[in-house]
Amino acid sequence: MKKGQLLEGLVETVDFPNKGIVKAVEEKEDGTTEERYFVVKNTIPGAKIKFRISKMRKHKSKGEGNFVETIEHSPLERECPCLHFGICGGCTYLCLPYETQLEMKEKQVKKLLDQVLLTGQGDYVFEGIIPSPKKEQYRNKMEFSFGDAYKDGPLSLGMHKRGSFYDVVTVDGCRLVDEDFGLILQSTLTYFQDKEIPYYHRMRKEGYLRHLLVRKAEKTGEILLDLVTTTSMTPDLETWKETLLALPLKGTIVGILHTVNDAVADVVKNEGTDILYGRDYFYEELLGLRFKISPFSFFQTNSGGAEVLYQKAREYIGDIGTEKTVYDLYSGTGTIAQLMAPVAKQVIGVEIVEEAVDAAKKNAALNGLENCDFLAGDVLQVLDTIAEKPDFIILDPPRDGVHPKALQKILDYGVDRLLYISCKPTSLTRDLEAFLEHGYRVERSCLVDQFPFTANVETIALLSKK
């Protein structure tokens, strides 16, 4: 077996997040066989697939391969409800019944936790996975990209093709969002196709259209739109705005924005925003609190799932006492901090995105909470500036987890209990090893499925000092 070779194999299992473990057997000329395992992403357990070897590792048990095609579908699969599945990179498990998805995620994360905790501390309470309240149409935010479906093809607006940095699939009828998103997408695409406005081509560094950001609150129905472009042209956006406002939407457009971004990187970056209509924020409600959200502020993409997640977090935290100081690190727009405020003396949130910190302060005032303080900056630096020491710490870091130096500062506080919320279990388990080495143990852990049909899941772990 060598790099570049085409092989067939059976996907025996899938490790988190979407790493299929494929067994391939090759018959040699002398009649003997060679058996090898490969990691092939975006595959389904029980499927027989064809893949191309991308890496052969002499000193590791598994090589790596790139998926080519399915030879025999898995008995777990159902008829897929989306014609873009397998082409669009948005979903991983849309072809599986929802209950099967939950079982897979639960087994995957339990395996990761067991590898660290059973050897590091012994038994712990694992409470399984809690499903999302909505299985479909649950997302409240989409970042659509402009591009073409193939080289020099017509203008497209949607999601990148799986495994491609350039090709874009126009995802009409996407199962992750409601009909309003589809109407806005199609109307915008048709408008700019008719005007023959070009998209920004990263290789040639020319063109105008970059992204369309759509955010819609589940509880209030408010919709905020932001068209992201370069400054290379000045087309008529007034008519585009009026076209959107005339759409028969179930929700209500409260703001239409135009953001410019001339950076080379393919990210939604704000280098200046104009309000074409309404305002530059919308409101969402969670667990009786009201949140003012700007276009680039972090907010959980599944509002109903966020309520389940935060209710479970409050249950884990319990009654900490009204004389306690709580740190909410990586606090975003301050959702968790505000939920903790009624049962704490003081809550201090730290977040690196200044826009999110500004939103958190406004939200706390909006909800009448006077014991919340939000600080802008990197957790690593900001911790040194806070005089009040914590009695309880809540961690909700980005996907890569806590920076090792920041983690050491958190450990040095020596709080009796802390809560870790993670959207990437592999980062969580890496950080848990450090906590175990410093005398902590995991009391309870559970999963909340914030992202149906994808490979991702939220994990909550309650830790305490031995």
Side-chain angles (χ1 to χ4, degrees):
M1 296 183 183
K2 57 185 179 180
K3 183 177 178 180
Q5 183 178 349
L6 276 173
L7 291 176
E8 296 179 3
L10 180 70
V11 184
E12 294 195 345
T13 186
V14 176
D15 288 340
F16 183 87
N18 58 346
K19 298 178 179 179
I21 309 302
V22 183
K23 179 181 179 181
V25 179
E26 183 184 39
E27 187 172 339
K28 298 183 177 181
E29 293 181 358
D30 61 3
T32 61
T33 58
E34 180 183 359
E35 181 179 297
R36 189 74 184 261
Y37 283 89
F38 292 86
V39 175
V40 183
K41 292 183 177 180
N42 299 313
T43 51
I44 303 297
K48 185 177 181 182
I49 67 165
K50 183 181 289 185
F51 64 96
R52 190 180 301 276
I53 298 175
S54 58
K55 289 182 182 179
M56 289 292 293
R57 301 180 181 275
K58 293 182 180 180
H59 304 295
K60 291 189 177 182
S61 60
K62 299 182 183 73
E64 295 181 21
N66 294 324
F67 174 82
V68 175
E69 64 177 333
T70 299
I71 300 170
E72 294 179 11
H73 286 283
S74 167
L76 299 175
E77 293 186 65
R78 61 174 182 172
E79 184 177 352
C80 187
C82 178
L83 59 89
H84 304 298
F85 179 70
I87 303 171
C88 166
C91 293
T92 307
Y93 299 132
L94 190 59
C95 61
L96 296 177
Y98 187 59
E99 293 72 20
T100 304
Q101 298 174 43
L102 294 177
E103 291 173 7
M104 282 181 57
K105 292 180 181 182
E106 183 174 315
K107 289 179 181 178
Q108 289 171 354
V109 179
K110 179 69 160 52
K111 179 181 177 181
L112 291 171
L113 291 172
D114 284 353
Q115 289 171 348
V116 173
L117 299 181
L118 293 184
T119 55
Q121 69 169 51
D123 290 340
Y124 67 103
V125 177
F126 182 71
E127 299 177 344
I129 188 168
I130 304 171
S132 171
K134 294 176 70 174
K135 282 69 175 178
E136 298 186 2
Q137 302 185 359
Y138 62 86
R139 284 190 65 92
N140 57 36
K141 175 186 176 183
M142 291 293 281
E143 291 179 3
F144 297 121
S145 297
F146 287 94
D148 51 15
Y150 53 89
K151 187 177 180 180
D152 299 325
L155 182 68
S156 296
L157 174 60
M159 306 292 289
H160 282 281
K161 283 186 179 180
R162 179 174 290 175
S164 173
F165 291 106
Y166 301 102
D167 298 343
V168 171
V169 186
T170 298
V171 284
D172 50 325
C174 176
R175 314 292 289 195
L176 302 186
V177 292
D178 69 19
E179 296 88 345
D180 284 355
F181 285 80
L183 286 171
I184 292 166
L185 180 150
Q186 284 293 349
S187 177
T188 299
L189 176 59
T190 300
Y191 179 83
F192 288 112
Q193 282 177 336
D194 291 344
K195 298 290 184 181
E196 298 183 347
I197 305 296
Y199 74 93
Y200 175 73
H201 196 288
R202 283 184 291 157
M203 296 294 288
R204 295 195 290 262
K205 296 181 176 58
E206 62 183 25
Y208 180 70
L209 301 165
R210 301 196 69 156
H211 299 94
L212 177 66
L213 176 64
V214 183
R215 305 189 74 160
K216 179 181 178 182
E218 182 176 321
K219 296 292 181 64
T220 66
E222 294 188 348
I223 300 171
L224 184 66
L225 311 176
D226 193 358
L227 179 70
V228 184
T229 74
T230 66
T231 57
S232 62
M233 300 176 65
T234 55
D236 174 27
L237 297 182
E238 184 69 20
T239 307
W240 169 69
K241 178 194 76 174
E242 296 300 329
T243 301
L244 292 176
L245 293 174
L247 291 174
L249 304 175
K250 294 181 179 178
T252 303
I253 295 177
V254 297
I256 301 176
L257 314 177
H258 175 215
T259 293
V260 295
N261 172 23
D262 285 322
V264 175
D266 185 31
V267 294
V268 178
K269 185 179 179 181
N270 182 9
E271 295 182 346
T273 297
D274 291 328
I275 300 176
L276 304 181
Y277 169 80
R279 41 182 160 90
D280 61 353
Y281 59 89
F282 69 103
Y283 288 106
E284 177 63 300
E285 297 173 357
L286 292 181
L287 298 175
L289 297 177
R290 191 169 173 86
F291 296 92
K292 180 180 180 181
I293 306 166
S294 58
F296 302 107
S297 295
F298 171 78
F299 196 79
Q300 291 284 355
T301 55
N302 180 345
S303 297
E307 289 194 317
V308 174
L309 179 70
Y310 296 143
Q311 282 176 324
K312 198 66 180 177
R314 286 204 302 200
E315 176 193 323
Y316 271 29
I317 294 168
D319 183 10
I320 61 173
T322 54
E323 297 304 313
K324 304 292 186 181
T325 296
V326 177
Y327 279 9
D328 177 15
L329 305 183
Y330 313 94
S331 55
T333 51
T335 313
I336 299 176
Q338 293 176 69
L339 292 171
M340 292 303 304
V343 295
K345 179 183 76 173
Q346 181 183 20
V347 183
I348 301 173
V350 181
E351 168 60 47
I352 196 169
V353 180
E354 291 188 14
E355 184 180 5
V357 173
D358 290 340
K361 291 177 179 178
K362 292 174 182 175
N363 289 330
L366 184 68
N367 291 306
L369 302 172
E370 298 179 352
N371 61 337
C372 291
D373 189 17
F374 296 98
L375 307 175
D378 191 320
V379 167
L380 178 61
Q381 279 80 44
V382 173
L383 287 180
D384 293 333
T385 68
I386 307 174
E388 189 83 13
K389 301 305 178 186
D391 300 297
F392 192 96
I393 295 176
I394 301 169
L395 297 171
D396 190 3
R399 293 184 60 79
D400 290 337
V402 183
H403 188 284
K405 291 182 179 179
L407 183 60
Q408 185 58 54
K409 291 182 179 182
I410 292 165
L411 290 165
D412 289 343
Y413 287 121
V415 296
D416 291 335
R417 298 165 72 239
L418 59 87
L419 189 76
Y420 196 130
I421 301 175
S422 172
C423 60
K424 188 177 181 183
T426 48
S427 298
L428 168 65
T429 51
R430 181 203 65 211
D431 291 346
L432 285 180
E433 291 180 355
F435 281 107
L436 296 181
E437 290 173 0
H438 285 75
Y440 286 90
R441 63 174 285 114
V442 173
E443 291 184 15
R444 304 165 64 186
S445 181
C446 75
L447 314 180
V448 178
D449 188 28
Q450 285 275 73
F451 320 101
F453 304 122
T454 77
N456 300 311
V457 68
E458 293 273 356
T459 307
I460 308 176
L462 178 66
L463 290 84
S464 63
K465 276 280 193 180
K466 290 182 182 178

